[in-house]
Structures are given as C-alpha cells and as structure tokens.
Amino acid sequence: KQWYQRRVRVDIGADVVFTSSQRGEMEDFCKENTPRLALNMVGGRETIQLLKCLGENSHLVTYGAMSNSPMSVPFGLQVFKDITLHSYWMTRWTKKHARTELEDEMFGRIAEFYQSGELTPTPYKENSFHDFAEALDNAYKVKQLFVVDKTLSDPRSFGE
C-alpha cells in the first residue's frame, strides 16, 4: 500500500516521498538536499525529522493528522531556520468558501494546471459495480473508479 501511495504522489508532482518508516532514507536524503517545502499528512513526533530536513525560510504544510498524536516543534527550528508552519483542512475551507468567487478562482486555476500539463490526474481504472471483486483485488495497484453509466449500460444490470 505504501509503495502505491508514494508512486501516486510522485506521479502528480512530488520530488520525493517518504513514509514514517523510512527515517534512515530521509536522513540520507537530507544530507545532500535542502527542501524548502514539505507536505505532512501524518503529524506526530515523526514530523520533527521532516522539520530538521528543511532549509532556511522553509514551509511545512500539515494537511492531515493520521497519527492522532501531538506535534511538539522545537523553537530553535522556527527561530534560527525561520521555518513557517501551516495547516490546511479542506472540509473547513470548502464550508467557508462554497459558491464564492474564491472557490470559482480555485477551480479555474486547477483546470489551468490540468490544461497546461502541470498537474496530471492520478492514474485510475474505470469499473462497473459488477466487477467490484476484481477492483478490490487491484486496489493497491491502481486507483479504482466506479462509473455509474458504465454499470447501467451493462447487460448484467437487467438480469440477462
């Protein structure tokens, strides 16, 4: 499962992806690289290693809290490296900005990123609901998308 998640993130634009179990690889990477932006979906104490990897005037964006444990940030990293912490919760943003000019602008910019090729969709396979067993078997290989129209046009829907 983790290899799939890593591959998808690289496919949509990440330079490098580490899971919480890859602390050694991340430390090796940080010896030769100085990222300025990190995206964190887990939170918790593992995030400190990610912060240590960042260069001066960097940003850490947390968009998930999968670990359900608090994150204590050493003040030295914020003060001496000038690292800025950001958090983002899509549900809150959507509730606040639904049907506004800002939401229209966001979707417009996302569409431009797709049109220019700067953003590409996650690879997926379309499925009929009748093929759910095969879709589940392949769920960690490629994202599975169930398409209602495809299912309704399938003769099996009508008992034939």
Side-chain angles (χ1 to χ4, degrees):
K1 181 178 174 180
Q2 288 182 350
W3 66 267
Y4 172 72
Q5 292 171 343
R6 291 176 64 197
R7 190 187 84 219
V8 166
R9 284 171 180 78
V10 170
D11 287 348
I12 63 172
D15 293 321
V16 65
V17 177
F18 296 105
T19 63
S20 56
S21 65
Q22 296 177 299
R23 185 177 184 144
E25 287 105 326
M26 184 169 31
E27 288 173 358
D28 291 343
F29 174 82
C30 294
K31 289 175 186 172
E32 298 181 21
N33 300 278
T34 312
R36 302 267 322 277
L37 172 66
L39 303 178
N40 169 38
M41 68 175 273
V42 178
R45 62 187 176 104
E46 288 83 7
T47 306
I48 302 307
Q49 187 62 35
L50 188 57
L51 283 166
K52 289 178 181 178
C53 186
L54 292 173
E56 289 187 22
N57 301 312
S58 296
H59 299 267
L60 172 71
V61 179
T62 298
Y63 64 97
M66 301 300 287
S67 73
N68 286 325
S69 61
M71 180 179 81
S72 358
V73 178
F75 287 117
L77 291 173
Q78 287 184 287
V79 174
F80 301 118
K81 289 177 91 175
D82 196 18
I83 295 175
T84 304
L85 305 178
H86 306 271
S87 60
Y88 178 76
W89 185 29
M90 185 66 185
T91 304
R92 178 180 46 224
W93 191 94
T94 302
K95 284 179 182 178
K96 183 176 180 182
H97 300 290
R99 296 177 187 80
T100 66
E101 208 171 295
L102 193 56
E103 183 183 55
D104 291 343
E105 180 184 334
M106 177 196 67
F107 283 118
R109 291 195 61 199
I110 290 171
E112 288 172 11
F113 289 142
Y114 275 108
Q115 289 169 344
S116 70
E118 291 178 75
L119 188 61
T120 57
T122 302
Y124 65 91
K125 179 181 182 291
E126 290 186 6
N127 295 287
S128 161
F129 279 111
H130 297 285
D131 300 324
F132 75 92
E134 180 185 345
L136 289 175
D137 287 343
N138 293 310
Y140 289 122
K141 295 176 187 165
V142 66
K143 185 175 188 170
Q144 304 294 310
L145 178 67
F146 290 99
V147 181
V148 173
D149 291 343
K150 187 174 180 180
T151 300
L152 294 176
S153 66
D154 188 325
R156 293 175 289 177
S157 297
F158 306 104
E160 296 176 11

